PDB file of all heavy atoms in Angstrom:
ATOM      1  N   ARG A 101     -15.395 -12.797   9.249  1.00 91.00           N
ATOM      2  CA  ARG A 101     -16.390 -11.809   8.831  1.00 91.00           C
ATOM      3  C   ARG A 101     -16.141 -11.331   7.398  1.00 91.00           C
ATOM      4  O   ARG A 101     -17.075 -11.231   6.596  1.00 91.00           O
ATOM      5  CB  ARG A 101     -16.392 -10.625   9.802  1.00 91.00           C
ATOM      6  CG  ARG A 101     -16.899 -10.982  11.192  1.00 91.00           C
ATOM      7  CD  ARG A 101     -16.721  -9.815  12.149  1.00 91.00           C
ATOM      8  NE  ARG A 101     -17.228 -10.145  13.477  1.00 91.00           N
ATOM      9  CZ  ARG A 101     -18.452  -9.863  13.898  1.00 91.00           C
ATOM     10  NH1 ARG A 101     -19.304  -9.254  13.102  1.00 91.00           N
ATOM     11  NH2 ARG A 101     -18.838 -10.183  15.112  1.00 91.00           N
ATOM     12  N   LEU A 142       4.731 -13.627  -6.502  1.00 97.00           N
ATOM     13  CA  LEU A 142       5.610 -13.156  -7.564  1.00 97.00           C
ATOM     14  C   LEU A 142       6.979 -13.770  -7.331  1.00 97.00           C
ATOM     15  O   LEU A 142       7.531 -13.671  -6.226  1.00 97.00           O
ATOM     16  CB  LEU A 142       5.681 -11.630  -7.559  1.00 97.00           C
ATOM     17  CG  LEU A 142       4.347 -10.924  -7.849  1.00 97.00           C
ATOM     18  CD1 LEU A 142       4.481  -9.421  -7.648  1.00 97.00           C
ATOM     19  CD2 LEU A 142       3.872 -11.237  -9.256  1.00 97.00           C
ATOM     20  N   ASP A 223       3.935  -2.064  12.401  1.00 95.00           N
ATOM     21  CA  ASP A 223       5.371  -1.798  12.488  1.00 95.00           C
ATOM     22  C   ASP A 223       5.787  -1.264  13.852  1.00 95.00           C
ATOM     23  O   ASP A 223       6.758  -1.701  14.442  1.00 95.00           O
ATOM     24  CB  ASP A 223       5.788  -0.790  11.418  1.00 95.00           C
ATOM     25  CG  ASP A 223       6.482  -1.446  10.243  1.00 95.00           C
ATOM     26  OD1 ASP A 223       6.426  -2.682  10.139  1.00 95.00           O
ATOM     27  OD2 ASP A 223       7.071  -0.726   9.424  1.00 95.00           O
ATOM     28  N   VAL A 377       3.736 -19.722  11.448  1.00 98.00           N
ATOM     29  CA  VAL A 377       4.666 -19.728  10.323  1.00 98.00           C
ATOM     30  C   VAL A 377       6.037 -20.183  10.829  1.00 98.00           C
ATOM     31  O   VAL A 377       6.297 -20.182  12.038  1.00 98.00           O
ATOM     32  CB  VAL A 377       4.776 -18.322   9.684  1.00 98.00           C
ATOM     33  CG1 VAL A 377       3.439 -17.890   9.101  1.00 98.00           C
ATOM     34  CG2 VAL A 377       5.276 -17.296  10.691  1.00 98.00           C
ATOM     35  N   PRO A 427      14.724  18.592 -17.796  1.00 98.00           N
ATOM     36  CA  PRO A 427      15.250  17.793 -16.683  1.00 98.00           C
ATOM     37  C   PRO A 427      14.550  16.448 -16.533  1.00 98.00           C
ATOM     38  O   PRO A 427      15.191  15.439 -16.201  1.00 98.00           O
ATOM     39  CB  PRO A 427      15.012  18.686 -15.466  1.00 98.00           C
ATOM     40  CG  PRO A 427      14.956  20.070 -16.014  1.00 98.00           C
ATOM     41  CD  PRO A 427      14.329  19.939 -17.360  1.00 98.00           C
TER      42      PRO A 427
END
Side-chain angles (χ1 to χ4, degrees):
R101 292 173 179 266
L142 297 173
D223 257 13
V377 297

